[in-house]
Structure formats: C-alpha cells, structure tokens
Amino acid sequence: MLLPRPASRPLDLNGLPAASRLETRAALGVTAIATAWFALAAAWEMFGPILAGHYASSAGVGIIAENMLRWKITGPVWEYTASQPPPEMYYCHHPWGIFWTTAAFMKVFGRHDVICRLPAVLLSAATPPLLYAIGRSVYRPAAGAAAAASFVVLPITLSFANLNALEVPVMAWTLLGLWGYVRLTQTSRRRYLAVSALGLALGMNADWPAFVLTGGLLVFGAVRAYLLPKRVFGPVHARRYAQWWVLTAFIAALTVALYVALFHQAGKLGDLLTSYGFRSSGNAEPLSKVLASRRYWIELSFTPVAIAAGKLAALVCAARLVLLRREHDALPLLYLATATVQYVVFRQGADIHIFWPHYFGAYFALAGAALVETAAALIERAAAARRAPDDAALLERAAARRAPDDAARPAQPAPAAWPAPGAMPAWPALAALALWLAPLAAVLRDGLPALRYARETGGRFNERGHLIDSDGEKTAFLRWLAPRLPAGAPVEMHEGMKATWAQVWALGGRVVTPARPAPKQEPPRGAYLVDTRFMLDRDQASLARRFDITAVGPFWALGAAVDPQAAIDPRAAVDPRARGIEAFSFREREPGLLAWYLVSGTEPEREVAPDPFLTWELRTHFGQPAEPPAGAPETLEEKRIAHNIALAAGDGARAAALLAEISAALAPLGARFDDGTELLGTTFHEGARSLLTIFVRAGGPAASDVALSVRSRVVERAPLSTTMADPIYRDVGLPTAISPQRWRAGFLYADPVPIRKRPGTEVFWASLRARDRGRAPALMDRGGEVEVLRLR
C-alpha cells in the first residue's frame, strides 16, 4: 500500500538525492558489470561480414552512407547507381539522422563492415549508464543500477544491440534527453536544458517514435507547470522550465517542417503516407487476437517473467504518480505509451518485424528503477514498524527516569510513516536491488540463448516457419568474386540469389541489377550470378550448355566479365584449354577465440579453392566431358564423389569399398523410399555453424516436383526456461545443388543442412516431398518422415 507523499528528500552537493557510500559503490558496481556485459554483447561479430535477415538493413545503411559521400547528396539512396541519383530515388519513410551519422563515421574511418555496426555498438554501450543516471537522479543509486541491469538482460535488447537501424539510436538519444530533463527540474541549470534539447532533437532525427515521446513529455510538462496547482508536484523554476518547454517544442516543430520540406522536394510525401497506412493495416482485428498470434515472439523477446514485472510496474508507477505526486514517475509511463503506439498502431510492421516492440526495453528498465525504489521504501517502513514498540518502551522508561525539571521538555517526534528516501540506510535499498536481480537472472537465462539464436538467423528467429539461410556461403562467394571482376562491371542476379542489401554491400559498391530471366544467347555484359539451389533444373542445363561457368559450391557466375581461368588459383594445375564448368568449393575451419568474438561466432572461416572432384561431378551431370581427378580422395565429400566416379567407370569393387568406408563414418538411417532412393545416414558437426549432412543413395531421377525436405519442431522447452516452446514446424533444409531430377541411380549425394537450433529440445525429420501437390515417394517401412537429428 502506497502512503501519502513523503517530505522532500535531502540532496547532496550535486543536487542529487543523498545516499550512503555503500549503496553508491554497490550500485556503481552493478552498473559497471551491466555496461561491460552489454557492450561485449553488442560488439560480438562487429568486424565480420554482414549477412542476411533483419541485420542486412545495417548494410543498407552503409550503402546509403557510401552514396552520400560518393555523390555528395544529403538524401538516402538504397542502391548503387552509375550516375548521380535524382531526389526521386531518396528513401523518405524515416528521418535521415542514422544515415547522416553512418556517413560521418565512413568519412572518418573509410568503407568497412564495422562501420555499418559501430554507431549502434557505441550507442548501446552508452545506454546502461544513461539508465543508471536517470534512476540515480530520480530515485537513488540502487534504482539506477536496477534500470541498467534490467535493460541488459532482455532477449530483444541483447539480440538487436548492434543493429544500426532505428530503435537503438532512438532509445539512446531520448534517454539522454530525459536525463537532461530530470536534472533540469532538479537544478534549473542551463546546461541540462541544452542536454535535454540535444538528446530529444537527435532522437527525433532518428525515427518517428521519438516525436511521440517528446510530444507526451511536452503535454505532461504543460499540464504540470501551467495547469495544475503548484502544490500537486511542487514549484519549478518558472523561467527555466518555460525555456525548456519552448525550445523543445520549437525543435520538434522545426524537425517536422524540415522533413516535410525534404520529402516534398523529393516528391515522396504521398509515398510516406501510403507506407504508414500500410504499416497500420490489420487494425480491424481485435487486439487480443493479434497479441495471441504473436505470443511466442513476445515471450521470446521479453520472457514471461519480464512481461509480468512490466505489467506490475505500470500499476506501481501510476499509483506513485497519483499518490506520491512525484513528476518523474511519469517518465516510465511516457515510454510505455510510446512503445505501445509503435507496437499496436502499426500492426502490419509488428507482424513481420520481431524487433518492433524494442522500445518496451527502455520502459522495462525505467520501470525496474521505480519498482526497486518502491520496494526499498516498503522494506524500511516494515522495519520501522517492527522497531516502533521497542522505541515506545524505551521512551517510557526514559521518561520515568527523567528529573522533574525535564518533564516540561517536548516529546520526541514519532517515526515518519513513509521515511524520506534520502534518509534511508543502505541496507533496504540494497535488499530491494538484490530481490530485483533474482528475476532478472531468470530473464537472462532465456536472453543468452536468444542472443545466439538471433545472430544465427539474422534477427529473424523462427520467421514464422519460413526457410532461413544466413547467406554465409553466398557472402563468401561474392567477396571472393568481387576483386576478380573488372572495375565498373555491372552485376546481374537471378531471382534465386534472393538479393539483399548485404549481398550488394559484399560486392564492394558495384551496380547490381535485380532478377531478370537467364540470358538466351549472348553472355551478359557484366556478371550473371545464380544460386542453383533456387533455379529450375532446365534453366541450369540451358546455362551449362551455352556458357562457360565458374561454380563455387552451389553458386554459378557467368558473363563477359567472368573468366573461369582467371579465377582459378594460378598455382593449381588446370588445363588452360578447358571449357565448360570450372568448380571450386569452400574449405571451412572453426574460428579461433579472437575470430569467434570479433569476426564470426556463428559461421566458420571459409576460403575458396579449386575442386577437381566437384568439377567432375557437375560436368558429368550436365553432359560435359569430364576427367576424373588424379589425386586420391581425402575428405568424406571427395570419397562420395570418388564412389560415383568408380560407379560411372564400371569399377564395382572400388565403388563398394568406398561405400563401406563412407557408411562406417555415418550415423545409419537405412530409410528406403518406394522409388528406390535410400537415406544412408548422417554426419553432424557441432561448431560455430553446426552442420547436419544427409547422405542419399539415389534410386534414379526423381519426379519433376520432388525434393529432399528437412523440417524441425521444438518438442520440449529448455530446462529452467520460462518461455514457451516454439510451436511452429520450420523448414530447415535447403534444396540440393544438383536437382533430384538429375540424380543417377546408385550415385551418392550429400545434402548439407545448417542447424540453427531453437531454444529447447528440437527434432529434425527428413523426407522426399512433392512441392506441387504431386505424389511424393513413400517410406517403405515407416511413416512419411524419418528422424535424422535430436538436439537438447
């Protein structure tokens, strides 16, 4: 139960609520640990290549920054162009602050992958200290430490701490603005007015939700200072408060006018309104139904523990604001309103972007400070109540022993019902902080695996069951190819490449043209890139028949700018007269500790090397002359192809020996389908990017719509986790590089399946499935799918 407003708390020489040295030191220790942890989490993989998923938007910001510097323009353009882009190409859905910031970093440090992440990493590292400063200023040091610790354990804040997009800068800059506002109201010093105005201005230039927060703060400030009686929240420095209000309102109006003018000049005002009309679509659905459909995403992002605490904190903050009449208790509620508007009003955006409720992280942190402050006061009040009878008895005994001339002295005042917080001893605040850290530990239990899960999936998590690929191999292929193309050579990508900003960025600033049909006769003027896993078999055959091809794993490059011989390692013994398909493969190794942290902890290190075994396999399957490799096979993959070489040459004994050697290295499956295809077994490599490889012996060419499929489902949530198990079946297997329609009877094929494990016990099943409702081959001795892996 909250009691009436206490007396004003004592202040120290800096105008902050007084606190004991023990509490201050303990709070600073917790904040330092929280800040260091969050900075380390944000900086993980910061020097590595940018891959697919939501994280690819950071590469998009890098492309925009490079265009700004290259063409000396102020507007953002998402794609590289051969000439200066006109204003009609400017991206006008958001303010341009993050693009200007990244351009400034690129101007100073140059074009590097780290520049696409560095602003977000720095702002994320600054956010816990800002939260501590707000909690310390509004309440006390223990509350500030609670705010910092609350922010750094949430799965969503950990997962997107290095995303150089919108939410990270908005939260960091607006928290700076709120801290300046708090200190201004406490000290009336002009420098805090400047800090508040600067922080809110930078936040409004980062994204629109900052306008919601600033507008709410202005409305509250006007009501607090000019409409309510001064006795409600106490007096303010009228002149300084008015200066803050007018300056902040002027900056907000000026920022709106700036972007209206810029967007109008680019002819994009209508486009902006259309985009936000689309983002807010779906509002006809009841909110309860919408939230139920997002339940797993919500629990995965915050955990049920944090959700319950956040709901409780909203009630506590509202009660404190009404009963205790402290104006700064409105700050968590204002941030809650901002996050709610973002998440509820723009429903379409929230349906496809799991990071949409990121702003609730800042609310949760501020609310945690309020909860610790309230708990500390309740603990002290309970202790004071227990001490009251003993204090009364001591006073009675002392009065009995007083001399008669002391009887007229005034009695000692009774203990206050709600002790002044600044006068509290350290132990109640530290006890309240310790109590709050316990549920935060439960939240961190789910935050840690969520951080890795996010990095593995590019921030997409389960993507509602859709196939997820990190593009790790594809990015390595593009980075290997880019320096081998002539300067200025344009690049065209088949639709199967599934082009992203990250792919365009990986090519080093080249003009990239999106999908068009495969060339019919003449080679493309530049380079034409293909991912054969997502290309029809007949189109692959057409390209192989008409063009020279450089194949790197499943990726093909052809065109006037691509010389297969020039791409080959000059040390390799390759016939310079050879034409057709020249194949390379990825050589993978696990990263060392330093590379794991700074470059990639979720992908292996890769290099591209000539592969005569793969060259034979591709040429054989596409009807080209193929010479068997001279060397003996060493890896399991080379032995697989050597088996096929022996089978094609009619060497049954050699093929049988290799088959026995391969089978001995597999976890056996022995699953046969009625078309003669057999799943022999699997290998599983657990590492930075875990890999399941399924070995198949083909019964012959498959029907035109049949493909090898791998799906997974979480069957049990993780131990000690409070988050529900992911209920969605998810496709995890990529199509095979050589289509099953081209398989040959008795040949062995390998299907590598990257494993990005979801939290909990996940089971993986394989099957031959018909993609277009045709008849799929059935297993002869069991149900439609065979279990190939189970991970806990």
Side-chain angles (χ1 to χ4, degrees), residues 143-385:
S150 300
F151 189 78
V152 304
V153 299
L154 291 173
I156 193 169
T157 56
L158 289 168
S159 298
F160 296 100
N162 73 341
L163 180 61
N164 188 23
L166 305 171
E167 288 77 12
V168 169
V170 167
M171 286 189 291
W173 293 129
T174 55
L175 289 172
L176 176 65
L178 291 182
W179 175 70
Y181 168 80
V182 170
R183 297 298 287 133
L184 173 70
T185 58
Q186 291 173 335
T187 67
S188 300
R189 292 175 181 170
R190 187 179 290 108
R191 63 173 174 265
Y192 294 120
L193 185 154
V195 169
S196 178
L198 176 64
L200 294 175
L202 291 172
M204 287 184 284
N205 275 279
D207 200 19
W208 307 120
F211 285 90
V212 179
L213 179 65
T214 303
L217 189 61
L218 287 171
V219 170
F220 175 79
V223 172
R224 179 253 186 275
Y226 307 117
L227 297 182
L228 293 178
K230 292 184 179 180
R231 66 176 181 273
V232 175
F233 290 116
V236 294
H237 189 294
R239 179 178 177 83
R240 190 72 72 227
Y241 201 87
Q243 288 174 341
W244 169 84
W245 199 98
V246 171
L247 178 60
T248 304
F250 175 75
I251 290 174
L254 184 63
T255 306
V256 170
L258 170 66
Y259 287 110
V260 168
L262 290 173
F263 294 176
H264 175 72
Q265 184 181 16
K268 292 296 186 73
L269 272 180
D271 183 47
L272 173 67
L273 297 176
T274 299
S275 71
Y276 279 93
F278 177 68
R279 290 291 191 205
S280 62
S281 61
N283 285 335
E285 290 284 349
L287 181 59
S288 58
K289 183 177 179 180
V290 172
L291 295 179
S293 69
R294 302 175 189 165
R295 180 188 169 191
Y296 178 68
W297 274 13
I298 294 172
E299 288 198 10
L300 183 65
S301 298
F302 295 97
T303 77
V305 174
I307 294 169
K311 292 177 179 178
L312 172 64
L315 298 176
V316 170
C317 289
R320 289 180 62 92
L321 183 64
V322 173
L323 298 178
L324 302 183
R325 301 194 299 278
R326 291 202 182 108
E327 61 183 297
H328 298 139
D329 284 319
L331 299 183
L333 298 175
L334 289 173
Y335 232 113
L336 175 61
T338 300
T340 302
V341 169
Q342 165 82 352
Y343 193 61
V344 173
V345 174
F346 300 104
R347 293 192 183 181
Q348 188 273 344
D351 284 337
I352 62 175
H353 298 104
I354 192 172
F355 57 81
W356 213 251
H358 200 170
Y359 294 112
F360 284 105
Y363 156 71
F364 180 71
L366 296 174
L371 286 178
V372 167
E373 165 74 358
T374 304
L378 290 173
I379 291 171
E380 175 60 19
R381 177 176 177 267

Side-chain angles (χ1 to χ4, degrees), residues 401-410:
R401 293 193 299 269
R402 280 183 189 149
D405 56 339
D406 292 337
R409 293 182 179 179

